[in-house]
Amino acid sequence: NVFRKTHTQYVIRAGGDGTGDTNGRYRFVNNTFLLMAGSSAAIHLFDGIESIELHNNIFYRVGGGSVQVFRDEASWTHGSPLIKGVNNAVPTGTTVPSGFTGTLIVSDPGFTSTGNRDVTLLSTSPLRNTGVNSTTGISGYAFPSPLAMPLYHPPKAALAAYGTAQRRTAV
């Protein structure tokens, strides 16, 4: 998936919408988050939340600059944040969230053309073949039958029409 931010609010808000707590578990795997210049954090953690996992995601600010991955205003079910992230890519200068391991810090992810909304990784991308094929969740907070790898890739025409990202998987 490609989450493309076209204004200054958050790309995703997780945990609740102001009308009630979900107290849920959230998991994001193999996504690209494109933030515009001047935008807020990529993910706003809000209201009740139990845990959040991020694996093999790319965070990038169009035009350059660091990214705030989380804005944490959550009421955590167990009293403190329960966050795990493996092999995510963030721009140089980004503060890596606590709970992340194997984070790749890159000045340029090597997209084909963000101006044309093509986030396919170039053959020279430092992120090519760096993702993990298998992910493990937070101990004691398992997801039933989680998927790490996509079941299929859309036809190439759909990639161009919708700007879908090439998956960052190990080969």
Side-chain angles (χ1 to χ4, degrees):
N1 299 306
V2 176
F3 295 97
R4 183 175 162 257
K5 190 66 178 161
T6 59
H7 53 82
T8 59
Q9 291 297 318
Y10 312 100
V11 179
I12 294 171
R13 186 157 108 174
D17 61 5
T19 62
D21 297 346
T22 64
N23 295 317
R25 297 176 186 167
Y26 296 88
R27 187 171 196 261
F28 296 90
V29 180
N30 298 328
N31 301 290
T32 300
F33 292 82
L34 293 177
L35 285 80
M36 298 285 99
S39 60
S40 300
I43 302 171
H44 185 191
L45 303 174
F46 188 77
D47 282 347
I49 185 170
E50 185 174 62
S51 65
I52 186 164
E53 298 176 31
L54 290 98
H55 309 289
N56 290 347
N57 297 289
I58 301 170
F59 294 88
Y60 178 73
R61 181 173 306 283
V62 176
S66 64
V67 168
Q68 182 182 359
V69 176
F70 296 120
R71 177 174 177 187
D72 186 0
E73 295 181 339
S75 173
W76 292 88
T77 303
H78 299 288
S80 61
L82 196 52
I83 297 170
K84 181 174 184 180
V86 177
N87 275 50
N88 295 290
V90 299
T92 303
T94 297
T95 300
V96 177
S98 177
F100 275 29
T101 60
T103 303
L104 303 163
I105 299 173
V106 297
S107 58
D108 180 358
F111 295 135
T112 299
S113 174
T114 56
N116 292 323
R117 299 182 191 167
D118 185 353
V119 293
T120 304
L121 296 177
L122 295 168
S123 62
T124 56
S125 169
L127 302 180
R128 189 170 274 291
N129 300 321
T130 61
V132 293
N133 285 326
S134 177
T135 60
T136 58
I138 300 169
S139 181
Y141 299 89
F143 274 82
S145 304
L147 297 175
M149 300 296 294
L151 296 177
Y152 66 92
H153 290 278
K156 187 66 174 171
L159 289 173
Y162 298 108
T164 303
Q166 175 181 341
R167 304 295 185 237
R168 216 174 42 96
T169 57
V171 176

